Amino acid sequence: MPAATNDAQPQLLFVDGSFQELATEMAEYLKSEDAKQLLSKDNANKEEVLAKLIASSGAFSTVPEKEFTAASNLMIYLVLQSTDPKKYLPALCGNLAKPINGSPVLGVGLSLNALTTVFNLLKPSDPIRARVFMEILKFLKAHSMFDNLRTYLDKLPGWLDAWGTDEEVERTIYEQVADCALESGEEQECYEFLLRALRTFDADDKEDLTSDDAQRLSLRAVKMALLSNTYYLFQDLRAIPCVQALSETHAVYSQLLDIFAEQDLEDYNDFNDEHKGWVEKENLDQEKLHRKMRLLTFASLAAATPSREIEYAKICKALQISAEDVETWAIDVIRAGLVEGKLSQKRGMFLVHKVTYRVFGQKQYRELATRVDHWRNTLQNVLTVLHQEQVNAKTQRERETQELERKVANANNGGHGGRRNEQRQQRERTDNDD
């Protein structure tokens, strides 16, 4: 869905003829008797003629495949001759979005090409483009064609700025993108654009934050985050002002979000006891929520353990599982990307290598400080041992040196004594000879 690259309105170069001639041709093609009647008069009013042609444009869904593109291009060209095209474009786009009845294979592609032609023939800064884009989004959602949109999502913020859209239109477009992504099974893209939609509400306007639309979108995002198999961190969501406003309008949802953001399985069980049947009433999946809470509790336990070694018994108690299930949950928490580590079955320990903090506030700073103190004490102990070993090694070397010197001295002393004995014995033999 490429955008025009300059601010001049493009033209369909192959269209030739006056408005009267081209409109008459289109009226004949669409079999619009009202339009033909108006065009039969001299100086027919252009806007009235266009209104009649638009009213008959639903016939595009019945035309032959090979004629659709040329006919739709001519219709688009005629509408763009209006002094106020935005009066006609939504209805025209709605009719062009209906694939040709007798074209199950090519019909969808032909309709999409017609819609993108409308989009590309408008000036890049024309606010009407926003309305056309919304029609395209509806079409893509209806036919699960999110991939056709994906490569243009990076351009969307720039387009919205160029169109000068207000917050409401911007929000609508972001939500439609989210809907289109969800229809195609793209959960991550859906959630991202829901958050963008939520950020369009005025953070300084309490009435805006607590409006029906704000709360509807907030609840949608919260439910999606809670039930997702891939989202385990909720800080970005909780930081959005209209989500924070749920504490006033939907306090139970706000409480549940807080539990999943930074609390543990025991807190979740207390929540269920306090609000019996609420999860089922809200059509939330209890099994999914319970499993997710166990994984998050495992992550919190790993983050709060200074030694980075967690006994099986602690895991069993925190997750409320049997010892036989520890390995399964360890594998699951690693797959979820919350913790990296390995099991030591011989020692009955889970060895933590890396952990993802669910939140990072005062509590986590205290835990980090505790861990740093533990590491410092460990390093000090290691340094003490190394220093003592150095002292021991030095003492040992000194002993060995002294021992060696003593042996050398003894050896030297033993050699001199032997020579003196030989000399004495030699003198004694000499005296005897005499």
Side-chain angles (χ1 to χ4, degrees), residues 394-410:
K394 182 178 180 181
T395 302
Q396 181 65 25
R397 286 197 301 271
E398 290 175 350
R399 283 201 201 98
E400 291 174 352
T401 301
Q402 292 172 358
E403 180 67 18
L404 181 61
E405 290 175 348
R406 186 183 64 78
K407 289 180 178 180
V408 170
N410 288 339

Side-chain angles (χ1 to χ4, degrees), residues 191 195 198-199 222 225-226 231-241 243-244 254 257-263 296 356-362 364-365:
Y191 185 69
L195 296 188
L198 287 170
R199 294 187 182 108
V222 168
L226 290 175
Y231 294 110
Y232 294 95
L233 305 179
F234 301 89
Q235 285 302 89
D236 285 350
L237 180 61
R238 287 208 304 170
I240 298 174
V243 174
Q244 295 173 355
S254 182
L257 180 60
D258 289 343
I259 289 172
F260 273 80
E262 56 184 320
Q263 298 179 36
L296 293 170
T356 299
Y357 280 91
R358 295 163 62 190
V359 293
F360 210 91
Q362 291 184 354
Q364 287 68 41
Y365 275 113

Side-chain angles (χ1 to χ4, degrees), residues 73-111:
N73 282 349
L74 177 55
M75 187 73 232
I76 295 166
Y77 173 82
L78 290 172
V79 168
L80 293 180
Q81 306 313 301
S82 168
T83 56
D84 190 15
K86 69 175 179 291
K87 292 192 302 184
Y88 312 110
L89 284 176
L92 176 61
C93 288
N95 287 328
L96 293 176
K98 300 172 183 175
I100 301 172
N101 295 335
S103 179
V105 177
L106 301 178
V108 172
L110 291 171
S111 291

Side-chain angles (χ1 to χ4, degrees), residues 12 47 185:
L12 294 171
E47 302 302 321

Side-chain angles (χ1 to χ4, degrees), residues 25-45:
E25 180 182 340
M26 182 55 62
E28 290 286 349
Y29 188 78
L30 296 176
K31 298 180 174 58
S32 175
E33 297 301 326
D34 290 341
K36 286 192 285 184
Q37 186 176 354
L38 287 173
L39 288 164
S40 65
K41 302 175 183 179
D42 293 335
N43 300 319
N45 184 285

Side-chain angles (χ1 to χ4, degrees), residues 249-283:
T249 60
H250 297 81
V252 182
Y253 267 106
S254 182
Q255 181 185 356
L256 183 61
L257 180 60
D258 289 343
I259 289 172
F260 273 80
E262 56 184 320
Q263 298 179 36
D264 297 329
L265 180 61
E266 186 175 349
D267 300 296
Y268 178 67
N269 290 336
D270 290 343
F271 170 88
N272 281 321
D273 291 338
E274 182 183 354
H275 304 285
K276 286 189 179 297
W278 182 87
V279 169
E280 292 77 12
K281 180 183 175 183
E282 293 297 313
N283 295 318

